[in-house]
Amino acid sequence: MPRFSVIVPVFKVQGFLRECLDSVLEQSYRDIEVIAVNDCSPDGCGTILDEYAARDPRVQVLHLPENVGLGRARNAGLPLATGDFLFFLDSDDTLTPGALRAMAGRLDATGDPDVLVFDYARTYWWGGTRRNVLAHLLAEVDGTFTVAEHPEILDLLMVVWNKVYRREFVHKHAFEFPPGYYEDTPWTFPVMLSAERIATLDRICLNYRQRRQGNILSTTSRKHFDIHDQYERVFAFVDSRPELASWLPYLHRKMGEHCLDILAKPDRLPPSDKAEFFRRTAELFARHKPAGARVDADVRSLEGSYPLYRVRRQTGRAGRQLERRALQVRKAAAGRVKGGWAALHARRPLDPDLVVYSAFSHRGVLGDPAAVYRKAREIAPHLRGVWVVRDAEQAALLPQGTEHVLLDTLRYRQLTARATYFVNNVNWPGTLTKRPGSVHIHTHQGTPLKYMAADLLDRPGARHGVDVPQMLRRADRWDHSLVANRHSELVWERAYPCHFASARTGSPRNDVLVGASPAAGAAVRARLGIPADHTVVLYAPTRREYVRGGHVDRLDLARFAEDLGPRHTLVVRLHPSLATGPARGMGLADLHRRGVLVDATDELAVEDVMLASDALVTDYSALMFDYANLDRPIVLHADDREAYAASRGTYFDVTAAPPGHVSGSYRELAWLFASGAWRDGDSTRLRGDFRSRYCEFEDGRAAERVVRTLLLGETDWLPGAGSGARVPAPVSGRDQVASS
């Protein structure tokens, strides 16, 4: 008996069908059966299904003699299912890698609940991806529950395909799909209300394809009137079970909201049928209104007439337009006032002791600017350092006692109009005017491997959304550009053809790496909950420009963590641009919750994460240049080097002179760690050559050098005796690692 029976109804999807089936059959979890129901599709779907069944015994095809519709096609597959759990997958959608394994693990952990609800992402025909906005609900409940205990679970999209169902539970209640549109409605509400044990999985397991054409719910038709019959079935189900009577007010409101949403959509109903749809909805609303129920404002229009409903909608639209126009007027007036204040302060002399800092688009005390700020407080306390942060939420995360100002406020304009020094690793906003005598220090964000700024002009894919001319206009304000090596010096001068001077200071944020001691890493490990005797492997992939959204799963993280073996911990840190996107939901958050690995993406200081590790696995991330200062092993996993270089562009082939061994497949990567080759003599030699090239100006005194020479103007300052670069010890203090 398989664990999952995946039921796939198929009709006119030959362009998507192979991708759908491959996403299921190529899952690492293989204890499944696929029941594909050919709903008399007139295209080549039947032939494709037979082809898959001939080569994979897990696939069973049922060819229906006539077209019966989506719901009844699912019903036809039900008697053939033998798995513990049923999963209804639409044939134009796809599973994400590792989805079934994650589901199976969650089912085991929660003792086989009646229903498991998981997350999904909408994938658009133009390449965009958007995660379910209510995904947080899946992370707020642990263990199993009922809808009475957590009714907010019903706020999720009420569809069949974001859940798996225990087969015995479905048969016990004789659940089945009705004919017509919106067939999910009379399935999901009865199922969820009847389930005695529900569990959630905070992981994107399915890509919900938003087709440009062919989506029945976006087809203008009278078939959308089916929604009324479907809710009649829901009410009939609840009426037959007195114990569910308390849910009638909720379902009554939900029905009204759903029908009004269909009516408001411009592409659902023919205009000539909208009045009739409203009338039938109002009749249904009145017929099933519970005695004494309060009618919410959102659905109160159903107690009036269709002309009154239209007037209210038109009035609402007009009011919103007026509000938008009034807001524009207020913003323009505020801008004139703020501009007047800024102009007033611009006539005052610069404050020679005022330094304004910002990092990573005003996200807090981070990176090189943070290192300079801390050193300035230590050796030049008379300098007043003020941080620019983007909003009050970011301000609340600042270290206690940090003087700050919110971006684009009057106070921000006043301070930036009088500051002498500006330190940033991202360009300042275009509204900031550089005054004569002010000094802008640009720290960058590391050594460049991929094309930047002007070099992106011949890379339209990588340049998408980047205004290169504006970027260069902002770089015209730079006075000093910090570099850690001569490679960076040459690249920045080419990528930013502006009037700045390169400062061979090293990277201030790397000072803690150059002088790192085992104790520093041990403290970070303890905070992250990593056992002191574990070997820690840090995996830090960068974003890809050849896919919209930037995220590509290059590794099966659960498998890699397992293959590393006991007494090992895998720590994952995503690129900052991916931290709030679907990448976290593709399994990382769930693996972190289950203790399979440590997700360190939200750690504010990447230096802390590096200190806590014994080795780095990365691809084309600039993190490798910083990590080389630790003199700890680095492995490059470059299985898509050609695609990456073609899309983004790289200044050199890092695999030709790498900081350590290079893997071109997962098998090679796993072998490097299993055999111990990741830290052999060749690895040490490659790393030494790499450090000599790209850590050329790193000696642990970069922040002090910036403060003394660029802020204090000490032209004759030289590092004190014994300040040469040190090779720090491995954080774990151990010489070898047991192979897995």
Side-chain angles (χ1 to χ4, degrees):
M1 180 183 296
R3 190 62 164 153
F4 294 104
S5 293
V6 184
I7 299 176
V8 186
V10 178
F11 182 73
K12 296 179 68 174
V13 287
Q14 64 179 5
F16 309 110
L17 184 55
R18 292 183 186 276
E19 185 181 1
C20 172
L21 295 174
D22 288 343
S23 76
V24 178
L25 299 173
E26 293 176 3
Q27 291 276 313
S28 60
Y29 189 87
R30 302 185 63 78
D31 188 17
I32 64 172
E33 64 179 6
V34 177
I35 301 166
V37 182
N38 176 20
D39 191 16
C40 201
S41 184
D43 55 8
C45 287
T47 301
I48 294 172
L49 293 177
D50 290 339
E51 172 193 326
Y52 274 79
R55 70 175 189 239
D56 194 320
R58 296 175 298 168
V59 179
Q60 181 179 176
V61 180
L62 174 62
H63 295 282
L64 300 182
E66 62 179 358
N67 177 252
V68 298
L70 182 58
R72 288 182 173 178
R74 290 171 178 159
N75 292 340
L78 274 172
L80 304 179
T82 62
D84 297 330
F85 283 85
L86 304 173
F87 180 16
F88 299 96
L89 176 65
D90 287 354
S91 50
D92 55 351
D93 295 337
T94 57
L95 295 186
T96 62
L100 292 179
R101 184 173 297 280
M103 291 182 200
R106 186 62 174 154
L107 291 171
D108 291 342
T110 53
D112 284 8
D114 295 330
V115 181
L116 174 68
V117 186
F118 52 81
D119 198 11
Y120 66 92
R122 295 176 185 266
T123 57
Y124 295 88
W125 61 269
W126 42 266
T129 301
R130 181 165 60 88
R131 190 177 187 182
N132 170 21
V133 295
L134 295 178
H136 62 90
L137 296 177
L138 300 174
E140 293 173 356
V141 184
D142 201 11
T144 60
F145 58 94
T146 65
V147 291
E149 294 168 329
H150 291 283
E152 64 274 9
I153 198 69
L154 295 178
D155 292 333
L156 293 168
L157 190 62
M158 283 287 100
V159 292
V160 66
W161 42 256
N162 65 347
K163 309 170 185 71
V164 295
Y165 313 86
R166 190 166 58 84
R167 185 167 60 89
E168 293 180 359
F169 163 70
V170 171
H171 286 318
K172 174 185 175 181
H173 292 276
F175 292 127
E176 63 177 9
F177 294 91
Y181 277 22
Y182 304 98
E183 76 292 333
D184 286 4
T185 299
W187 168 279
T188 51
F189 280 117
V191 164
M192 295 297 284
L193 294 175
S194 301
E196 297 177 0
R197 299 177 67 247
I198 301 170
T200 60
L201 174 60
D202 180 21
R203 186 195 195 279
I204 295 175
C205 294
L206 181 140
N207 288 319
Y208 175 33
R209 190 188 301 272
Q210 306 294 287
R211 291 160 63 179
R212 186 167 182 264
Q213 296 178 348
N215 183 351
I216 61 173
L217 293 184
S218 295
T219 302
T220 304
S221 167
R222 279 187 61 88
K223 290 185 178 180
H224 293 283
F225 279 75
D226 282 355
I227 190 64
H228 302 125
D229 290 339
Q230 306 297 20
Y231 271 102
E232 287 284 17
R233 293 183 173 98
V234 173
F235 288 120
F237 176 85
V238 174
D239 289 343
S240 69
R241 290 163 173 77
E243 69 275 12
L244 299 179
S246 62
W247 287 100
L248 283 173
Y250 170 85
L251 293 171
H252 178 254
R253 175 176 57 82
K254 201 71 174 178
M255 179 273 294
E257 291 175 349
H258 197 169
C259 291
L260 286 175
D261 181 66
I262 294 171
L263 183 62
K265 291 285 195 303
D267 55 355
R268 297 288 175 91
L269 295 162
S272 58
D273 294 326
K274 289 192 173 185
E276 180 187 354
F277 184 89
F278 179 90
R279 177 179 55 78
R280 289 181 56 177
T281 300
E283 292 172 354
L284 182 66
F285 191 75
R287 186 162 58 250
H288 290 284
K289 180 181 178 182
R294 182 177 63 87
V295 178
D296 291 349
D298 292 343
V299 293
R300 196 169 295 153
S301 60
L302 289 171
E303 294 187 325
S305 64
Y306 180 64
L308 182 59
Y309 160 80
R310 291 191 61 188
V311 168
R312 286 175 176 171
R313 277 188 56 82
Q314 292 169 353
T315 302
R317 282 197 296 267
R320 288 190 293 272
Q321 290 175 351
L322 287 174
E323 288 178 3
R324 285 195 294 269
R325 291 172 183 170
L327 180 61
Q328 291 171 352
V329 171
R330 289 196 297 271
K331 283 184 175 179
R336 287 192 293 271
V337 171
K338 291 176 180 178
W341 275 98
L344 175 63
H345 281 270
R347 290 195 292 269
R348 299 174 62 185
L350 294 178
D351 183 343
D353 295 331
L354 179 57
V355 188
V356 177
Y357 296 90
S358 181
F360 298 105
S361 300
H362 321 297
R363 290 198 295 114
V365 183
L366 302 168
D368 289 309
V372 174
Y373 167 75
R374 286 189 287 265
K375 184 58 67 173
R377 294 189 68 181
E378 175 188 337
I379 64 177
H382 66 281
L383 293 178
R384 177 190 175 195
V386 181
W387 281 86
V388 177
V389 291
R390 62 189 180 193
D391 52 37
E393 184 177 353
Q394 291 296 140
L397 300 176
L398 294 175
Q400 188 173 5
T402 303
E403 186 176 359
H404 65 276
V405 63
L406 299 186
L407 179 69
D408 203 33
T409 60
L410 178 58
R411 185 61 178 154
Y412 161 80
R413 288 180 168 82
Q414 292 171 344
L415 282 170
T416 56
R418 296 208 58 209
T420 295
Y421 300 101
F422 294 80
V423 183
N424 200 346
N425 65 0
V426 178
N427 264 318
W428 292 97
T431 54
L432 191 154
T433 301
K434 177 177 169 61
R435 292 185 62 187
S438 64
V439 178
H440 283 241
I441 300 170
H442 194 77
T443 71
H444 302 283
Q445 297 179 34
T447 294
L449 171 63
K450 55 194 174 187
Y451 279 9
M452 303 292 289
D455 290 331
L456 292 173
L457 290 173
D458 63 347
R459 301 281 173 171
R463 196 182 73 243
H464 180 72
V466 177
D467 187 341
V468 173
Q470 182 187 65
M471 184 182 295
L472 298 182
R473 285 193 296 271
R474 294 180 178 183
D476 284 332
R477 296 176 296 200
W478 301 354
D479 295 287
H480 302 285
S481 166
L482 306 191
V483 298
N485 48 66
R486 272 174 269 216
H487 161 75
S488 296
E489 185 172 345
L490 293 174
V491 166
W492 296 138
E493 291 180 1
R494 165 183 156 179
Y496 293 95
C498 305
H499 301 287
F500 56 82
S502 292
R504 295 181 174 182
T505 58
S507 298
R509 70 186 181 283
N510 289 340
D511 289 348
V512 296
L513 305 181
V514 175
S517 66
V524 179
R525 285 175 178 235
R527 179 163 57 78
L528 295 177
I530 301 172
D533 63 342
H534 273 212
T535 296
V536 179
V537 177
L538 170 61
Y539 176 54
T542 193
R543 64 179 291 115
R544 264 63 173 177
E545 272 70 24
Y546 59 79
V547 292
R548 189 178 294 274
H551 175 69
V552 178
D553 277 324
R554 307 309 309 175
L555 294 180
D556 183 333
L557 297 176
R559 180 181 177 185
F560 187 36
E562 181 179 359
D563 287 346
L564 287 174
R567 293 164 61 89
H568 290 65
T569 295
L570 176 63
V571 175
V572 178
R573 184 178 178 87
L574 297 177
H575 190 276
S577 65
L578 304 176
T580 58
R584 299 292 280 281
M586 297 291 281
L588 183 56
D590 180 56
L591 293 174
H592 175 82
R593 179 185 59 80
R594 293 194 282 125
V596 176
L597 49 74
V598 174
D599 176 11
T601 304
D602 289 335
E603 284 291 311
L604 291 178
V606 68
E607 299 82 24
D608 285 351
V609 183
M610 290 190 278
L611 287 168
S613 66
D614 292 294
L616 170 68
V617 176
T618 188
D619 37 37
Y620 322 104
S621 171
L623 197 69
M624 74 178 85
F625 300 97
D626 302 327
Y627 197 86
N629 286 285
L630 284 169
D631 199 34
R632 297 172 189 170
I634 301 173
V635 174
L636 292 189
H637 186 57
D639 60 340
D640 63 341
R641 183 182 64 83
E642 292 81 8
Y644 184 86
S647 60
R648 178 60 192 249
T650 55
Y651 290 110
F652 60 93
D653 180 3
V654 70
T655 64
H661 289 295
V662 179
S663 59
S665 67
Y666 178 77
R667 182 177 180 180
E668 293 177 3
L669 177 64
W671 178 85
L672 285 171
F673 281 91
S675 66
W678 61 280
R679 59 169 308 280
D680 62 11
D682 285 340
S683 172
T684 302
R685 176 183 55 79
L686 290 167
R687 187 168 68 253
D689 292 341
F690 191 86
R691 289 179 73 241
S692 67
R693 288 192 298 273
Y694 301 111
C695 303
E696 185 179 4
F697 306 139
E698 305 275 28
D699 64 353
R701 305 290 291 274
E704 184 177 5
R705 187 174 288 108
V706 171
V707 173
R708 292 194 180 279
T709 63
L710 303 184
L711 298 184
L712 299 179
E714 298 180 9
T715 56
D716 57 349
W717 177 82
L718 292 174
S723 65
R726 293 188 292 127
V727 178
V731 66
S732 64
R734 289 175 285 114
D735 292 330
Q736 58 182 349
V737 177
S739 61
S740 57

